Amino acid sequence: MKSQVLDIQTLKTFNDEKRHQETIWSDDHARVSLICMKPGQEIVTHTHHGSHIWMVMEGTGQFQSGGKTQSITTGQIVIVPAFEDHGIRNASQENLVIASITAQGD
């Protein structure tokens, strides 16, 4: 496999109806998805069989896990262990862009 550099600015896509999620890279072991949310859109609380990593690329959001909510913003990385509930809501007035990294199969 060859090395790649992905440009989030050219890959991001928004949808007025619901959050847009698209796999932008994958192999036999992992997947990177780009999640683009307009104000009010969200990722409902869920779990994975493996660890899940979210990198906030643009904007701010509300991260929910374990019944608690905390603000997240550009430049932060959210690490969620396997089987821990988690979700994100764009409660701001600006767009939110997140890179999501998971093990294949999750």
Side-chain angles (χ1 to χ4, degrees):
M1 176 172 41
K2 295 181 181 181
S3 298
Q4 296 180 46
V5 176
L6 303 174
D7 182 356
I8 298 302
Q9 295 306 313
T10 62
L11 294 171
K12 65 184 179 179
T13 302
F14 293 91
N15 182 319
D16 287 334
E17 304 300 316
K18 62 179 184 174
R19 67 177 165 82
H20 180 84
Q21 182 168 339
E22 181 176 351
T23 299
I24 58 174
W25 178 87
S26 68
D27 69 5
D28 293 339
H29 306 286
R31 176 179 61 231
V32 178
S33 297
L34 192 61
I35 302 167
C36 301
M37 291 185 277
K38 289 191 166 200
Q41 295 177 342
E42 67 182 323
I43 299 168
V44 296
T45 304
H46 62 284
T47 61
H48 295 274
H49 291 100
S51 297
H52 191 173
I53 300 166
W54 280 331
M55 299 175 65
V56 184
M57 309 302 292
E58 179 181 305
T60 60
Q62 296 294 314
F63 171 67
Q64 302 138 357
S65 182
K68 297 180 181 176
T69 300
Q70 72 181 74
S71 293
I72 55 172
T73 191
T74 302
Q76 291 184 315
I77 299 171
V78 178
I79 301 169
V80 182
F83 302 107
E84 184 174 308
D85 67 316
H86 57 286
I88 292 180
R89 178 167 168 42
N90 183 356
S92 76
Q93 296 302 311
E94 298 181 0
N95 291 334
L96 176 61
V97 179
I98 297 169
S100 170
I101 303 166
T102 56
Q104 270 301 35
D106 264 346

